[in-house]
Amino acid sequence: MLSIIEQIKQGKLWDFHGGIHPAENKLLSSKQPIKAAGIPSELVLPLKQHIGSRGDIIVNIGDHVLKGQPLTQGDIAMCVPIHAPSSGTITAIEQRTTAHPSGLTDLSIVISTDNQDTWCRGTQYPDYQDRDPAELIEAIRLAGIAGLGGAGFPTARKLQGGLGNVDILIINAAECEPYITADDRLMQDYADEVIEGIRILRHIIAPKLTIIGIEDNKPDAIKALEACVSEDDNILIRVIPTKYPSGSSKQLVKILTGREVPSQARSTSIGVIMQNVGTAFAIKRAIVDGEPLIERVVTLTGEAFKERGNVFALLGTPIAYLLEKFGYQADKKYPRVIIGGSLMGFTLPHANVPITKITNCILTPKRKELPLHTYEMACIRCSACADACPSSLLPQQLQWYAKDKNYEKCEEYNLSDCIECGACAYVCPSEIPLVQYYRQAKAEIWERKQDEMSAERARQRFEAKQQRMERDKAERENRFAKAATDRRQQMATTGGDDAVAAAIARVKAKQAAATDTAPAAVKPAVAAAIAKAKARQAASTSEANAVPDNSEMAALRKQRKLQAREQKAAKHAELMQQQTGTEQPAEQVTDKKDAVAAAVARAKARKAAQQQQATSAVEPTAEVNTDVASDPKKAAVAAAVARAKARKAAQQAPSTPAAEATDEVNANVESDPKKAAVAAAVARAKARKAAQQVPSTPAAEATDEVNANVESDPKKAAVAAAVARAKARKAAQQEQATAAAEPTPEVNTDVASDPKKAAVAAAVARAKARKAAQQEQATAATEPTDEVNANVASDPKKAAVAAAVARAKARKAAQQEQATAVAEPTDEVNANVESDSKKAAVAAAVARAKARKAAQQINKVQPNIEEE
């Protein structure tokens, strides 16, 4: 059986799966020889124009550079430098748009050319046959040569991987992409230099066989190569059928050798290395002439170009410069500038994009020449894409997974083997841009892998840091332990003690000395204070353990109860006298009582006049118990309590107006001003609570007689007094409504002797007159008001409720009186009051002052109420 090399020499060819035969359109640009594109005013050189890492910038803004001068440098095989395509000045180092489908930017060096084109040639190796291959590979790397077929893989790195591992060298001259004729014209015009570059590659790799694979649609190039190849070169020119994409690396290897490159592997793994025709030409220029890669052949084609052909364009030349120079006339409706061919190329976002090492064609088609894709339609599962795929993939499934972002499935279906030839999209009847989906999925997969690699590096660095810290900690502990051991041994050898132990002993000695001297330092004043504190603490402890003696308080409480009983009997007799109309003995009324009574009467009269002007309601003024006159303080307290109750009742019952009762104050509270204040406060609180519990349901309460049982408690007495005042007001309103003559009861002849007594008697008479008028006006009411159940007095709460109800009824009667526009009766004031107006005014002022003072005492006494 013949070997692969023997079969190749005999002219055997193989075929690959799939492939298409699109329109070539190569005659548009292959008729004219290559010419120079010229030197633009500005060159933009992206730092990364190849597969791998970018180099480090070794120039600065403002530097003047020469043609061929390196601008970057790198020490690894996957990093190739870039050089100045022409002499000029560096004006900027910034981000510029690069030749990418997404219009991405990259850091670029901008050179403003000087049109001098001054050279800075590198090292030349005209005797390359005598040089070591490693030296030539390094020279190729320093010249910045990368694959010019479109992939941009660093040539030096590929040659290093093929040393001693390959037996077949393939020169790719197929150029299967429609419209592109750069390699065709290069072989026609510079065939001798291309063959010389192939000889250099053969010297470096030393293969058993060298093959030039070229399609049969390039007869002129085939003749030119055959004319330059001799029998000693051992170079085979193999013409292959025209089929797209036969120019792809894996497909050309399959056609020429019958070997298949494994998935995710390179051709060197099967003993084959491949280089492009343009790469061989650049290698010859770099090794023999000392010229780095600063220009390449670019095809300018498409009906929008007035001058079509191939040009030597400097790297970094803006595409806009070429469009303007060669007569670009954009299509009116759909102007397009495509980098690459019609199948593998992509449309630029704008024309300010530079030429790079992998730019081989600029296509400017018109709308009729290269129709635009219409709208993407649904896949009809025709399997035409799978039949055309040269890599034997399943484009339909890959498109689904890529669209669904299921990148694990994409890798499972070998998306990385896709060469992005566009054959699947070319034959798709639904016009699905399959290659775009694949490119996006590849970019996403690559980015995820980079993130995983970064995370793995970070994890390794973190673990290394943790190990280093633990190692340092262990070394430090060992160092300290060794130092302590050495110190103890040294102290033991010299007969001394441990320095640390000695220091601890000294500290303890100082503390003991301080403790011994502390008692002597205490001052006598401090010692006395400490002794007092201890004695006080002992006294408080003994008091806490002793049994309290309440005998004194019990005796006082018993005495107060006896006094209360005596006062109840006396007040009951006085109350009976007032109810029966019996005149009060004049000798029991003192000057102080008379003054207080007169002041109270004047205050009530003034208040009634104010209320009559604002609300036309009558403020009745009832009798004031003469017993409160025994002490001016008690009288002031009683007056203040009455006024406070009136205001509180008006605020709590806005919708149920009640007349404020202010007739009598229980005399039982007179024995002590504190008791009076307590009784008044308790009465107000119970009245307020009762008013809240019964706001809208006033119950009929009798108000004629009060059970004598209320006298046992000052609170009950206050409630009874409030009920009596309400009855008096109601009677006055009834009497006024019926327009009856105002009765004026007899005034005690004893009061005539004093103007103050006369004023009090007059006020009492007016109050009774209003009460009679109110009772007569409300005769239609069914609410009984005759008698008050004596049981009410047995409970302070019930008494408070009764008082609140009575006040509400009185206020309601006052409003009725206002509606009927009944005039308020005004009685005659006893002329005796007028006998001395100055005394009355003085007495009123004194009474008001005492009332204010009593109110202040009430506020002070209230928190310390003691119930009996």
Side-chain angles (χ1 to χ4, degrees):
M1 184 177 180
L2 297 177
S3 64
I4 296 296
I5 295 178
E6 293 175 349
Q7 294 180 23
I8 294 172
K9 288 182 179 181
Q10 291 181 0
K12 184 176 181 179
L13 296 175
W14 288 263
D15 194 9
F16 61 89
H17 177 272
I20 58 177
H21 296 83
E24 297 179 1
N25 296 323
K26 293 181 179 289
L27 296 177
L28 293 173
S29 58
S30 62
K31 297 179 181 180
Q32 301 294 330
I34 302 174
K35 52 187 176 182
I39 303 174
S41 61
E42 184 180 75
L43 297 172
V44 180
L45 298 167
L47 299 185
K48 187 176 180 182
Q49 303 181 25
H50 59 277
I51 295 176
S53 60
R54 65 180 62 174
D56 299 328
I57 300 175
I58 57 176
V59 292
N60 298 316
I61 298 175
D63 293 349
H64 186 270
V65 294
L66 300 177
K67 183 177 182 178
Q69 178 180 340
L71 304 178
T72 62
Q73 65 179 5
D75 297 333
I76 59 177
M78 291 298 291
C79 177
V80 294
I82 60 174
H83 300 77
S86 182
S87 60
T89 304
I90 297 176
T91 58
I93 300 176
E94 59 188 10
Q95 296 286 333
R96 291 292 184 93
T97 306
T98 60
H100 191 274
S102 301
L104 298 178
T105 60
D106 191 14
L107 187 63
S108 305
I109 299 176
V110 182
I111 300 176
S112 178
T113 59
D114 56 6
N115 291 323
Q116 300 296 322
D117 210 28
T118 306
W119 266 99
C120 176
R121 296 184 183 271
T123 306
Q124 301 177 4
Y125 299 93
D127 55 345
Y128 64 87
Q129 295 179 354
D130 299 333
R131 299 286 181 175
D132 185 71
E135 185 180 359
L136 297 178
I137 291 175
E138 182 64 17
I140 291 173
R141 187 186 73 82
L142 294 178
I145 298 175
L148 301 183
F153 195 88
T155 302
R157 180 66 184 87
K158 184 183 286 188
L159 294 176
Q160 284 180 346
L163 289 176
N165 296 328
V166 299
D167 53 2
I168 298 176
L169 171 62
I170 296 177
I171 304 301
N172 187 350
E175 200 173 38
C176 60
E177 180 83 9
Y179 287 97
I180 303 176
T181 60
D183 292 344
D184 186 8
R185 286 310 312 183
L186 183 63
M187 290 184 289
Q188 293 183 41
D189 299 339
Y190 300 91
D192 54 343
E193 295 190 47
V194 171
I195 296 300
E196 189 65 20
I198 295 174
R199 294 190 184 106
I200 296 173
L201 291 173
R202 290 183 68 253
H203 172 72
I204 295 173
I205 299 174
K208 296 180 180 179
L209 182 64
T210 301
I211 307 173
I212 299 176
I214 185 172
E215 286 187 338
D216 56 8
N217 60 354
K218 303 176 181 63
D220 296 336
I222 295 172
K223 292 179 182 180
L225 293 175
E226 289 177 350
C228 295
V229 174
S230 63
E231 294 181 358
D232 297 336
D233 292 332
N234 194 20
I235 298 175
L236 295 178
I237 300 175
R238 186 66 63 209
V239 180
I240 62 176
T242 300
K243 183 182 179 181
Y244 182 82
S246 60
S248 177
S249 175
K250 293 183 178 181
Q251 280 66 38
L252 187 58
V253 169
K254 179 66 182 296
I255 291 172
L256 296 177
T257 65
R259 300 176 181 177
E260 287 191 6
V261 181
S263 176
Q264 299 183 1
R266 302 190 184 279
S267 60
T268 53
S269 63
I270 59 174
V272 178
I273 189 171
M274 183 176 294
Q275 295 291 343
N276 186 263
V277 172
T279 306
F281 176 78
I283 290 174
K284 184 268 174 184
R285 290 285 183 93
I287 298 299
V288 177
D289 302 330
E291 297 180 8
L293 182 57
I294 58 175
E295 64 180 4
R296 68 156 297 151
V297 181
V298 179
T299 301
L300 304 179
T301 184
E303 294 183 358
F305 267 119
K306 185 177 180 181
E307 299 180 20
R308 310 178 191 94
N310 293 276
V311 297
F312 275 112
L314 298 177
L315 301 183
T317 301
I319 293 178
Y321 168 80
L322 298 176
L323 296 177
E324 182 181 358
K325 186 171 183 178
F326 292 94
Y328 169 66
Q329 296 177 353
D331 188 81
K332 293 182 179 180
K333 291 187 177 180
Y334 302 104
R336 286 178 291 172
V337 177
I338 300 173
I339 282 188
S342 59
L343 293 176
M344 296 186 67
F346 54 87
T347 303
L348 293 176
H350 55 80
N352 292 323
V353 175
I355 297 294
T356 61
K357 297 177 182 180
I358 60 176
T359 304
N360 56 1
C361 178
I362 298 176
L363 175 60
T364 58
K366 290 190 175 181
R367 179 167 50 91
K368 294 181 179 179
E369 179 185 3
L370 188 63
L372 291 170
H373 288 289
T374 58
Y375 297 101
E376 176 183 346
M377 294 177 284
C379 177
I380 62 174
R381 297 173 178 82
C382 63
S383 74
C385 55
D387 297 337
C389 181
S391 300
S392 300
L393 301 177
L394 298 175
Q396 178 184 359
Q397 281 76 8
L398 288 173
Q399 188 261 344
W400 288 345
Y401 295 137
K403 192 174 182 179
D404 193 43
K405 298 183 179 181
N406 190 349
Y407 302 121
E408 290 76 11
K409 278 291 185 180
C410 290
E411 293 185 272
E412 182 181 345
Y413 277 78
N414 300 320
L415 177 62
S416 59
D417 292 339
C418 175
I419 61 175
E420 302 179 16
C421 63
C424 54
Y426 180 81
V427 300
C428 180
S430 299
E431 299 186 2
I432 301 174
L434 298 170
V435 179
Q436 295 183 14
Y437 287 106
Y438 303 153
R439 286 174 177 169
Q440 184 176 0
K442 284 183 177 181
E444 186 66 27
I445 292 172
W446 180 85
E447 187 173 353
R448 290 190 176 189
K449 288 184 178 179
Q450 293 298 318
D451 293 341
E452 291 177 359
M453 293 173 60
S454 300
E456 180 64 20
R457 287 195 297 269
R459 184 187 64 81
Q460 293 176 0
R461 294 177 65 250
F462 175 76
E463 292 178 354
K465 179 182 177 182
Q466 292 295 110
Q467 294 176 0
R468 183 176 67 255
M469 293 176 64
E470 292 177 359
R471 184 172 60 253
D472 293 344
K473 181 180 179 181
E475 292 177 356
R476 186 167 57 254
E477 292 177 353
N478 294 335
R479 186 169 61 253
F480 291 161
K482 184 176 181 303
T485 303
D486 295 343
R487 186 173 61 253
R488 293 189 183 94
Q489 291 177 358
Q490 183 180 2
M491 296 296 293
T493 303
T494 58
D497 297 332
D498 192 355
V500 177
I504 295 173
R506 287 195 299 272
V507 171
K508 290 183 178 179
K510 289 180 181 179
Q511 292 179 351
T515 304
D516 295 340
T517 59
V522 178
K523 296 180 180 181
V526 176
I530 294 173
K532 291 179 182 178
K534 290 183 178 180
R536 194 181 299 108
Q537 184 176 5
S540 61
T541 304
S542 60
E543 290 178 359
N545 296 331
V547 178
D549 186 8
N550 297 329
S551 59
E552 185 178 357
M553 296 299 297
L556 291 173
R557 188 178 294 108
K558 185 175 181 181
Q559 184 178 2
R560 285 197 298 272
K561 288 182 179 181
L562 292 175
Q563 293 177 357
R565 291 193 185 96
E566 294 176 356
Q567 291 176 357
K568 288 174 186 177
K571 299 309 174 186
H572 180 66
E574 293 176 358
L575 181 62
M576 292 301 294
Q577 290 178 358
Q578 292 177 1
Q579 291 178 354
T580 55
T582 308
E583 295 182 353
Q584 183 180 1
E587 57 272 10
Q588 296 181 357
V589 180
T590 62
D591 294 339
K592 292 183 180 181
K593 293 181 181 180
D594 295 339
V596 171
V600 171
R602 284 194 299 274
K604 291 183 178 180
R606 194 181 304 111
K607 185 175 181 181
Q610 293 175 355
Q611 291 180 352
Q612 181 178 4
Q613 293 177 357
T615 59
S616 300
V618 179
E619 178 73 25
T621 309
E623 296 181 24
V624 179
N625 195 330
T626 56
D627 292 334
V628 301
S630 59
D631 192 350
K633 294 182 180 180
K634 295 179 183 179
V637 170
V641 169
R643 286 195 299 273
K645 287 183 178 181
R647 283 194 299 271
K648 196 73 175 181
Q651 293 176 357
Q652 290 181 349
S655 59
T656 310
E660 182 180 1
T662 57
D663 292 338
E664 296 179 6
V665 179
N666 195 329
N668 293 332
V669 299
E670 298 174 359
S671 60
D672 192 352
K674 294 183 180 180
K675 293 181 181 180
V678 171
V682 172
R684 286 196 302 273
K686 291 185 176 180
R688 190 180 304 112
K689 185 173 181 181
Q692 293 176 355
Q693 291 178 352
V694 193
S696 59
T697 312
E701 297 285 359
T703 58
D704 289 339
E705 296 181 1
V706 179
N707 196 322
N709 294 331
V710 301
E711 298 178 359
S712 61
D713 194 348
K715 303 172 186 178
K716 298 178 182 180
V719 173
V723 172
R725 289 194 297 272
K727 288 166 62 179
R729 191 178 297 107
K730 187 173 183 181
Q733 291 175 353
Q734 290 178 353
E735 181 179 359
Q736 183 179 4
T738 55
E742 181 179 358
T744 51
E746 292 183 316
V747 181
N748 194 335
T749 56
D750 296 331
V751 301
S753 61
D754 194 347
K756 300 176 182 178
K757 296 179 181 179
V760 171
V764 171
R766 285 196 300 274
K768 289 183 177 181
R770 291 193 199 93
K771 182 176 179 181
Q774 290 174 356
Q775 288 179 353
E776 186 174 355
Q777 181 180 2
T779 54
T782 58
E783 199 173 308
T785 58
D786 294 335
E787 296 181 0
V788 178
N789 194 338
N791 295 329
V792 176
S794 62
D795 191 354
K797 295 182 179 180
K798 295 180 181 180
V801 172
V805 172
R807 287 195 299 272
K809 291 181 179 180
R811 190 174 291 108
K812 184 174 181 181
Q815 291 178 351
Q816 292 176 354
E817 178 184 359
Q818 181 181 0
T820 56
V822 179
E824 180 180 359
T826 56
D827 297 330
E828 294 182 356
V829 180
N830 195 329
N832 295 331
V833 179
E834 300 175 357
S835 60
D836 193 354
S837 56
K838 293 183 180 180
K839 293 181 180 179
V842 172
V846 172
R848 286 195 300 274
K850 291 182 178 181
R852 283 196 296 273
K853 186 174 181 181
Q856 294 176 358
Q857 291 178 354
I858 290 172
N859 294 334
K860 294 180 181 179
V861 173
Q862 237 173 349
N864 299 321
I865 295 174
E866 180 183 1
E867 295 184 0
E868 296 185 8

